[in-house]
Amino acid sequence: AAKRNGGNRMKVFSDQMRVAVHERIAGEKLLRQALDGDRRQTLPVWFQPIVSAATGEVMGAETLVRMRTPEGEILGPNRFIPAAEETGLIVPLGEHVLIEALRHLVAWRHELRYVSVNVSPRQLAEPDFVPLLADLLAATPELDPQRLILEITETALLVSSVDVQERLETIKGLGVRIALDDFGTGYSSLTWLQSVPADVVKLDRSFVAGLADDPKKTSIIQAVLWLARSLGMSAVAEGVEKEADVAALREAGCPMLQGYLFGKPMPPEEFAARLQRSRMATAP
Ligand code: C2E
Ligand code: MG
Ligand code: MG
Ligand code: MG
């Protein structure tokens, strides 16, 4: 009986694998088509507000890419970023996202301080990444490079073959700022904090959600915020969904907040309207 169960498990497993491989191949094909198409249509870039904890004013925006399928369905990045990473298509995709992020920041430069852009390990490892960044910044002289923040995760340090620390120093040399994304979820957060020249820590949603009712989470957040401040870094709490958590984060001294409570990722037109409202609400 055990053997038969084992056999069934094997079959279930191989069926799942077949589906997974299938999905990946389909995903890769869709992504190639999207990159060959009118990228602003097929790979729209959305923005999520990042607000000041003190005033509620929109200070920045995180750039989050989407895919519009030929059927008109909008797919989240979890559906195609892994395939993009595996195939190397993350390089042209990442370039598109950077171009779009900077283009919108130029348009919003009087209302918005900064945009942040997610950069995957593979992109960071690419030798052409820094020259690309330098070219894009040179093409937008109206923007101080400080107004661009690159969000990286700890996996960049783990999987990359290049000297990530050195690459990040070069990027910082351009004036661009670095944020540690999903901070606290990795295996070696303290090593990460010590070895990377970061300007911002983004506290992962898992520590933020339900903070107000959880003394342990509160302690962890307070300690990380203290650490960040001591190292001269700013901090953003991710995944803020509840007013009670806002109060707890304010009390803990978290300077910036991001989450559905303040706005979901939205198309640029909608974000522009949100920016106007934020300005009017906080105008003297
Ligand atoms: P991330 O960088 O940690 O981005 C935050 C994710 O959390 C976003 O999901 C956002 O929609 C979601 N989120 C924000 N506030 C809340 C909240 O209050 N509650 C909940 N439940 N979720 C919230 P999204 O847009 O699906 O992006 C997922 C991940 O895909 C991102 O995680 C990022 O790692 C990656 N990604 C997105 N765009 C890009 C890109 O252009 N390049 C690369 N390399 N990765 C990207
Ligand atoms: Mg991010
Ligand atoms: Mg994050
Ligand atoms: Mg995340």
Side-chain angles (χ1 to χ4, degrees):
K3 203 168 189 176
R4 218 173 58 221
N5 277 341
N8 283 342
R9 264 206 305 279
M10 282 299 281
K11 177 159 185 341
V12 169
F13 182 61
S14 67
D15 282 351
Q16 282 174 349
M17 285 224 316
R18 202 172 308 123
V19 170
V21 167
H22 213 90
E23 269 195 2
R24 225 210 37 224
I25 293 170
E28 184 185 333
K29 195 172 163 222
L30 272 179
L31 185 56
R32 279 187 198 283
Q33 280 173 357
L35 285 164
D36 287 340
D38 172 3
R39 294 180 179 181
R40 288 185 194 173
Q41 292 302 318
T42 53
L43 294 161
V45 161
W46 287 12
F47 295 89
Q48 184 179 29
I50 299 173
V51 308
S52 154
T55 66
E57 191 184 358
V58 179
M59 309 301 284
E62 179 170 359
T63 312
L64 294 155
V65 68
R66 299 290 181 262
M67 185 193 286
R68 187 175 285 116
T69 67
E71 289 75 38
E73 195 192 348
I74 300 279
L75 305 183
N78 297 335
R79 301 275 298 276
F80 58 91
I81 295 279
E85 277 270 294
E86 269 177 57
T87 54
L89 292 173
I90 192 71
V91 174
L93 176 62
E95 177 174 349
H96 163 67
V97 173
L98 264 176
I99 290 170
E100 287 295 286
L102 289 172
R103 182 169 76 86
H104 285 97
L105 183 57
V106 168
W108 300 328
R109 66 188 178 281
H110 301 300
E111 290 91 34
L112 188 72
R113 272 202 212 160
Y114 66 89
V115 289
S116 68
V117 173
N118 294 285
V119 174
S120 69
R122 173 107 181 228
Q123 261 179 291
L124 200 62
E126 205 59 42
D128 287 342
F129 184 67
V130 174
L132 167 70
L133 203 54
D135 284 351
L136 293 177
L137 290 169
T140 49
E142 58 274 71
L143 295 181
D144 182 333
Q146 278 227 82
R147 297 173 72 177
L148 175 64
I149 298 184
L150 300 184
E151 297 194 5
I152 52 183
T153 58
E154 208 179 286
T155 46
L157 201 67
L158 303 176
V159 306
S160 184
S161 52
V162 300
D163 188 337
V164 172
Q165 204 175 327
E166 200 182 286
R167 180 121 323 155
L168 292 175
E169 294 287 1
T170 314
I171 289 170
K172 283 194 60 110
L174 297 172
V176 172
R177 288 188 288 164
I178 307 287
L180 304 181
D181 202 357
D182 304 340
F183 188 78
T185 55
Y187 294 105
S188 53
S189 300
L190 294 179
T191 308
W192 185 223
L193 209 55
Q194 180 203 257
S195 56
V196 165
D199 304 278
V200 180
V201 280
K202 297 197 75 176
L203 304 168
D204 191 71
R205 176 153 59 92
S206 56
F207 298 103
V208 173
L211 174 70
D213 319 311
D214 188 336
K216 235 182 184 170
K217 284 186 181 174
T218 307
S219 298
I220 293 172
I221 292 270
Q222 284 171 340
V224 173
L225 287 170
W226 179 85
L227 205 54
R229 264 196 309 276
S230 316
L231 293 168
M233 297 162 72
S234 185
V236 179
E238 300 188 285
V240 182
E241 295 183 0
K242 293 192 182 137
E243 283 293 351
D245 295 334
V246 173
L249 286 161
R250 270 206 197 105
E251 199 166 325
C254 187
M256 302 284 217
L257 310 174
Q258 177 181 0
Y260 291 173
L261 185 64
F262 307 102
K264 290 191 173 181
M266 55 189 106
E269 309 74 47
E270 216 177 296
F271 186 82
R274 174 80 174 72
L275 259 184
Q276 292 305 323
R277 284 206 306 282
S278 165
R279 286 249 297 176
M280 286 189 286
T282 54

